[in-house]
Amino acid sequence: MTTSKTWFITGASQGLGLILANQLLAAGHRVAATSRHLTGLTQAIPADAATFLPLQVDLTDEASVAQAVQATISTFGRIDVVVNNAGYGQFGSIEELSDQETRQNFDINVFGLLNVLRHVSPHLRAQQSGQVFNISSIGGFFGNFPGWGIYCATKFAVEGLTEAYAAEMAGFGVKVTAVMPGYFRTNFLSAGSLATPHTSIAAYQDVRDSLTTHQEQINGQQPGDPAKAVALLIAMSEAPQPPLYLFLGADAYQLAAQKITAVQRDMQQWQSQATATDFAAEAI
């Protein structure tokens, strides 16, 4: 038997967040769920008010995030599990994307997540327990995707801050996991979740081809089952020692292994020269 917990989930009106919220409520957990639009959230999750708290939140507004966290504490008394799920894909080559487009992606995917961590951490520290899942992407570990550089950069940032956050919170009994899914069959590649560049450059044919492949071939045919993914997260929330790194999907494992092999190959090729760069030891 699992103990009923209070979950705080961002981006819960669609995709993994929505499926997770519904599975949790069906299992008897309490869920505080955020979305930019309250109506869409309440329509997507018509749950009992005793266990479900829908919250309209602008993740880029720190005051809005703080109010949502406080409302959750006031309603349910505590937060046991935090799932930073909100985010969107920004497609386009590095040269094509404007400063504004780039910053907007970081504002949601990175700084919005940081706003949540900043305001849940005092509560998790005080109760000396908790689990945080930061939903990243295999694109936060393997960035060799033409046209996905900015999105991957946001997810690489999530990976790095998650590692540091895990180290900072370990002494308070708080467990932290970076979740790196591969291709799962959600609406991530649809127009509402994937932004394309305002200005495109014809010279980047590989970028145009990548967008066509993702929208016309991969979208709707992703191998990952999101219901199985969130079921694993729920099970993992009960694990005594959840992993810091969770690659989700066979494709994520394959790409991670490919990256690790490439890094090891480059390290070995240049090891003798690269490790001979310290100051020379003084003769005694």
Side-chain angles (χ1 to χ4, degrees), residues 80-83 124 129-133 174-177 236-237 239 242:
D80 298 297
V81 187
V82 178
V83 183
L124 302 180
S129 67
Q131 168 76 53
V132 176
F133 292 108
V174 179
K175 300 157 187 173
V176 183
T177 298
M236 190 169 290
S237 71

Side-chain angles (χ1 to χ4, degrees), residues 7-270:
W7 290 60
F8 184 91
I9 307 170
T10 67
S13 62
Q14 59 184 359
L16 286 175
L18 175 59
I19 297 170
L20 174 60
N22 280 323
Q23 283 198 20
L24 289 168
L25 290 166
H29 294 280
R30 298 172 297 277
V31 175
T34 82
S35 176
R36 290 172 298 170
H37 307 293
L38 193 62
T39 301
L41 185 59
T42 54
Q43 289 176 345
I45 310 174
D48 191 310
T51 56
F52 177 56
L53 178 64
L55 297 161
Q56 182 170 328
V57 177
D58 178 358
L59 291 178
T60 66
D61 181 344
E62 190 164 6
S64 178
V65 173
Q67 291 170 3
V69 171
Q70 189 55 53
T72 304
I73 299 295
S74 298
T75 302
F76 296 132
R78 61 186 289 121
I79 295 175
D80 298 297
V81 187
V82 178
V83 183
N84 280 305
N85 171 70
Y88 72 95
Q90 175 63 66
F91 189 83
S93 72
I94 302 298
E95 182 182 354
E96 288 171 329
L97 292 175
S98 67
D99 180 77
Q100 180 182 15
E101 289 170 297
T102 299
R103 289 178 185 273
Q104 285 176 342
N105 204 210
F106 271 86
D107 279 344
I108 296 295
N109 293 8
V110 180
F111 291 104
L113 180 149
L114 284 169
N115 283 338
V116 173
L117 294 182
R118 194 175 296 116
H119 288 280
V120 298
S121 293
H123 302 285
L124 302 180
R125 280 194 297 105
Q127 68 194 23
Q128 295 284 294
S129 67
Q131 168 76 53
V132 176
F133 292 108
N134 288 335
I135 308 300
S136 178
S137 164
I138 187 56
F141 187 81
F142 181 97
N144 190 18
F145 300 107
W148 293 95
I150 295 304
Y151 174 74
C152 287
T154 69
K155 295 304 185 179
F156 267 74
V158 169
E159 294 292 327
L161 68 88
T162 299
E163 289 187 8
Y165 184 68
E168 293 166 359
M169 299 301 284
F172 304 111
V174 179
K175 300 157 187 173
V176 183
T177 298
V179 183
M180 293 167 277
Y183 288 107
F184 278 80
R185 203 168 299 178
T186 67
N187 59 347
F188 176 76
L189 294 175
S190 61
S193 298
L194 179 63
T196 53
H198 297 321
T199 302
S200 61
I201 300 173
Y204 287 103
Q205 188 58 49
D206 56 344
V207 172
R208 304 281 79 76
D209 292 343
S210 177
L211 181 60
T212 299
T213 298
H214 278 84
Q215 290 184 324
E216 297 182 7
Q217 299 178 30
I218 297 176
N219 191 26
Q221 301 298 321
Q222 298 95 322
D225 182 342
K228 292 180 180 178
V230 301
L232 178 59
L233 292 185
I234 296 171
M236 190 169 290
S237 71
E238 301 290 336
Q241 294 296 329
L244 174 56
Y245 311 100
L246 175 63
F247 294 97
L248 269 180
D251 55 346
Y253 264 75
Q254 291 167 359
L255 290 172
Q258 184 178 332
K259 167 71 174 284
I260 291 168
T261 298
V263 170
Q264 290 176 330
R265 182 177 61 246
D266 285 351
M267 288 178 67
Q268 292 165 1
Q269 181 180 356
W270 291 95

